[in-house]
Amino acid sequence: MSGFVTKPEPVEVPGLVHVHTGKVRDLYTDGDGNLVMVASNRVSAFDWVLDPEIPDKGRILTALSLWWFELLSDLYPNHVVSTDLPAGAPDDWAGRAIVCRRLEMVPVECVARGYLAGSGLEEYAATRSVCGVTLPEGLVDGSELPAPIFTPTTKAEVGEHDEAVTYEQVAAQVGAELAANLRQATLAVYTRARDIARDRGIILADTKFEFGLDASGELVLADEVLTPDSSRFWPADQWRPGQSQPSFDKQIVRDWLASPESGWDRRSEVPPPPLSEAVVERTRAKYAEAYELLTGRRWS
């Protein structure tokens, strides 16, 4: 069992039609046929969307995505049409809402890995490979890979797991040409972002992209991009292969839920307890710190 601890009700906005409530985003359509993507302050872990929310999270992740979209625009176009608040939208959407082009979304989570961690580490320990990509012997938690690899997953609904798939399975699903383009795009964008983050003292260990096709069939970068929700960022000066790395993401939430302090049994069907005030504030601070270190701008 998993999903929302408390499922939110969609906000009703004149002129907008609600189409989807995701783990951390709400989607609407406007009268021009565009999508309005609203980043919430919700946080998820272990396939649960938790209570309470993380203050400022939606604005931080939106601002960071927009910063990355601009830096990457010479590589691939993105889906952003406008950051203006739609007419009639509530004031608290400011900084969290983006008007986007509607695309034919590719049903694949495009994951790039430059370092071994998380589910990739677990798969490597069992098979010496990740998503069918054979890796050298002797790698440990946090090892840098000889070269970045494309390790796609399925796109799961709220409360379900993303499932790792091989490149060959992606090609069988979407066609050989599109699969090749997805792999090329994923690794190109990851490599550019990895180098930018490295210059700022941050390791981009892995990240997840979503792509769509526009009316002409061109590949377009969509959804969020290179945020602490979709990426694993580590402080470079604390990188120590062979152990779990400190990170700029919601690892604080995961660690607390798995600790005796939370009192929660992940294997049970009981929803997780509310996050403690200290966990909420520390998580907010980590998101803000990631934004500031990457962009060089002060969060306020």
Side-chain angles (χ1 to χ4, degrees):
M1 180 179 175
S2 54
F4 290 97
V5 172
T6 305
K7 186 166 185 177
E9 291 295 326
V11 177
E12 294 187 9
V13 179
L16 300 184
V17 176
H18 175 262
V19 293
H20 181 66
T21 295
K23 289 180 180 179
V24 295
R25 281 173 186 75
D26 300 304
L27 292 180
Y28 298 78
T29 55
D30 66 14
D32 296 324
N34 296 313
L35 279 178
V36 179
M37 186 173 71
V38 185
S40 75
N41 292 329
R42 298 189 292 270
V43 65
S44 66
F46 301 124
D47 298 313
W48 283 97
V49 181
L50 308 164
D51 289 332
E53 297 183 344
I54 308 298
D56 285 341
K57 177 173 176 283
R59 291 197 303 125
I60 293 171
L61 298 195
T62 299
L64 189 55
S65 285
L66 291 170
W67 183 80
W68 280 114
F69 279 137
E70 184 176 349
L71 288 179
L72 299 167
S73 60
D74 62 316
L75 288 179
Y76 288 91
N78 60 69
H79 66 166
V80 178
V81 173
S82 172
T83 57
D84 294 338
L85 197 61
D91 291 342
D92 71 356
W93 279 17
R96 300 193 289 119
I98 302 176
V99 181
C100 309
R101 285 190 281 167
R102 295 203 73 163
L103 304 168
E104 180 187 349
M105 295 304 296
V106 180
V108 176
E109 300 276 8
C110 294
V111 179
R113 297 179 188 272
Y115 294 75
L116 196 59
S119 61
L121 175 65
E122 295 174 5
E123 186 176 346
Y124 172 80
T127 67
R128 290 299 181 267
S129 65
V130 181
C131 292
V133 180
T134 301
L135 295 173
E137 294 284 341
L139 300 181
V140 295
D141 192 353
S143 286
E144 184 173 9
L145 303 180
I149 60 174
F150 178 60
T151 58
T153 71
T154 59
K155 295 176 72 169
E157 295 297 323
V158 176
E160 298 180 2
H161 289 286
D162 292 342
E163 297 292 340
V165 291
T166 64
Y167 175 76
E168 289 72 23
Q169 288 173 304
V170 172
Q173 181 180 6
V174 305
E177 182 178 0
L178 180 53
N181 289 340
L182 289 172
R183 179 167 62 183
Q184 178 180 344
T186 299
L187 296 178
V189 176
Y190 169 80
T191 300
R192 168 75 66 83
R194 178 202 62 191
D195 294 346
I196 291 171
R198 183 177 288 162
D199 288 343
R200 289 155 171 79
I202 294 178
I203 289 173
L204 174 59
D206 54 52
T207 192
K208 174 182 70 176
F209 301 117
E210 292 196 34
F211 291 94
L213 300 172
D214 65 12
S216 65
E218 185 176 17
L219 208 58
V220 178
L221 192 56
D223 197 62
E224 67 177 320
V225 61
L226 294 157
T227 73
D229 267 16
S230 64
S231 313
R232 207 182 304 264
F233 293 114
W234 299 333
D237 61 355
Q238 298 179 52
W239 176 51
R240 302 289 186 274
Q243 63 187 40
S244 179
Q245 312 298 319
S247 59
F248 297 101
D249 60 15
K250 57 189 175 183
Q251 190 61 45
I252 294 167
V253 172
R254 298 189 194 98
D255 289 346
W256 184 80
L257 287 173
S259 73
E261 182 183 350
S262 76
W264 181 56
D265 182 358
R266 181 180 170 187
R267 297 162 296 183
S268 73
E269 295 188 356
V270 177
L275 301 174
S276 73
E277 185 175 333
V279 167
V280 169
E281 180 50 40
R282 287 170 57 211
T283 302
R284 179 200 172 280
K286 276 296 176 186
Y287 281 111
E289 184 181 8
Y291 173 86
E292 292 181 346
L293 289 173
L294 285 166
T295 68
R297 303 169 182 171
R298 184 170 178 78
W299 177 255
S300 61

